[in-house]
Amino acid sequence: MNSPSAHLDVLLIEDDSHLARLTAEYLERYGVRTCIARDGELGLQEASRRSFDAILIDIMLPRKDGLTVCRELRARSAVPILMLTARGEEADRVMGLELGADDYLAKPFSSRELLARIQALVRRSRGHLGPSREVLRVGELTLDRAAMKATLKGQALPLTQHEFALLLGLAERAGRVLSREQLLELAKHGGVDGPVDRAIDVHVSRLRQKLGDDARHPRLLKTVRGVGYVLERGDEA
């Protein structure tokens, strides 16, 4: 049986309302929050508004077909993409993969298999080829999940539980923009006991101070105006 996922956000672009609802209900039982878009155009709009850990795309979509959606998404994002379709021909599978999809699942599919594939895609995208590693490194930043400790250039960072949870969530998704709402959820799911202050901006400001980041021109933890925050990858900072 699948174990709960550690807070994943996926976008499901599917015009079959019944299938979309059943799929979302199953995934959410295992910690995968699912946003549903009913056609290709709405899917692209949703993907541009917020960040997702993975995107599931049905090939046969109204307004804009799934292959076109896949191509447009891949042109602007490295988000893991899994294609869903009732058409299982080899030509369709090859076309989807050539356009940038990471995986392919033919209908009817097992919800359990879909969940396993999503988890595998996300692990690969985060650099985890196996089970989640205890130590995560992003550039010169190192985070020890078990000990809830972080170091930068070998120097220990005096982080609170809230700050560590936020920094871990950002580090696991380095290079991706996260909204304030997503960061709040990451803090809640990051082993933090008690209420979480909703003033995410304050926590980010404190994190910057402890990272030695210039508030006006941050090098590591950057603001994307009107959207949220992003922790730069080590090779980009």
Side-chain angles (χ1 to χ4, degrees):
M1 186 174 183
N2 289 319
S3 58
S5 299
H7 180 66
L8 301 180
D9 288 287
V10 304
L11 171 62
L12 172 58
I13 309 177
E14 169 63 69
D15 63 322
D16 184 331
S17 300
H18 180 67
L19 176 61
R21 179 177 57 79
L22 291 179
T23 300
E25 288 176 355
Y26 180 87
L27 293 178
E28 289 178 359
R29 287 205 300 270
Y30 291 93
V32 181
R33 297 196 309 178
T34 307
C35 174
I36 298 173
R38 306 297 187 187
D39 62 55
E41 288 287 358
L42 290 175
L44 286 170
Q45 291 173 21
E46 195 64 42
S48 67
R49 277 197 290 265
R50 53 181 291 200
S51 183
F52 293 95
D53 293 292
I55 297 181
L56 319 178
I57 309 173
D58 181 32
I59 284 187
M60 302 297 289
L61 290 170
R63 299 182 70 194
K64 185 167 288 190
D65 68 86
L67 293 175
T68 300
V69 172
C70 176
R71 183 178 64 246
E72 293 187 17
L73 282 174
R74 184 54 75 231
R76 70 193 194 204
S77 172
V79 63
I81 295 174
L82 190 152
M83 303 299 296
L84 305 171
T85 182
R87 303 190 315 188
E89 290 87 351
E90 180 181 352
D92 291 328
R93 296 196 299 271
V94 171
M95 178 67 75
L97 294 171
E98 287 180 342
L99 289 174
D102 298 283
D103 202 356
Y104 196 103
L105 193 57
K107 298 176 182 177
F109 54 80
S110 157
S111 295
R112 183 178 179 182
E113 180 181 3
L114 175 62
L115 175 60
R117 286 176 181 259
I118 292 170
Q119 291 169 330
L121 283 175
V122 173
R123 282 199 303 270
R124 289 201 296 271
S125 74
R126 295 179 183 176
H128 301 170
L129 299 181
S132 179
R133 296 174 295 190
E134 291 300 321
V135 177
L136 174 65
R137 293 182 176 84
V138 179
E140 296 176 310
L141 180 66
T142 301
L143 296 98
D144 185 325
R145 293 181 175 87
M148 292 191 72
K149 293 181 178 179
T151 62
L152 180 64
K153 299 180 181 180
Q155 298 297 311
L157 298 174
L159 304 179
T160 66
Q161 282 185 305
H162 292 175
E163 291 164 353
F164 180 84
L166 289 174
L167 185 58
L168 177 61
L170 285 159
E172 287 179 333
R173 298 157 180 80
R176 288 181 47 199
V177 181
L178 299 178
S179 68
R180 289 168 176 80
E181 291 76 16
Q182 287 175 303
L183 288 173
L184 176 62
E185 287 299 319
L186 288 172
K188 288 179 179 178
H189 289 268
V192 175
D193 296 322
V196 178
D197 185 354
R198 285 185 173 273
I200 292 296
D201 293 341
V202 174
H203 290 304
V204 169
S205 176
R206 290 172 181 165
L207 267 179
R208 281 186 176 141
Q209 291 176 12
K210 294 179 180 182
L211 290 169
D213 232 0
D214 185 331
R216 293 187 177 181
H217 304 286
R219 184 177 62 91
L220 298 174
L221 184 46
K222 297 184 177 180
T223 302
V224 179
R225 191 175 299 278
V227 182
Y229 299 98
V230 58
L231 182 71
E232 293 289 0
R233 297 179 186 275
D235 56 355
E236 296 174 0

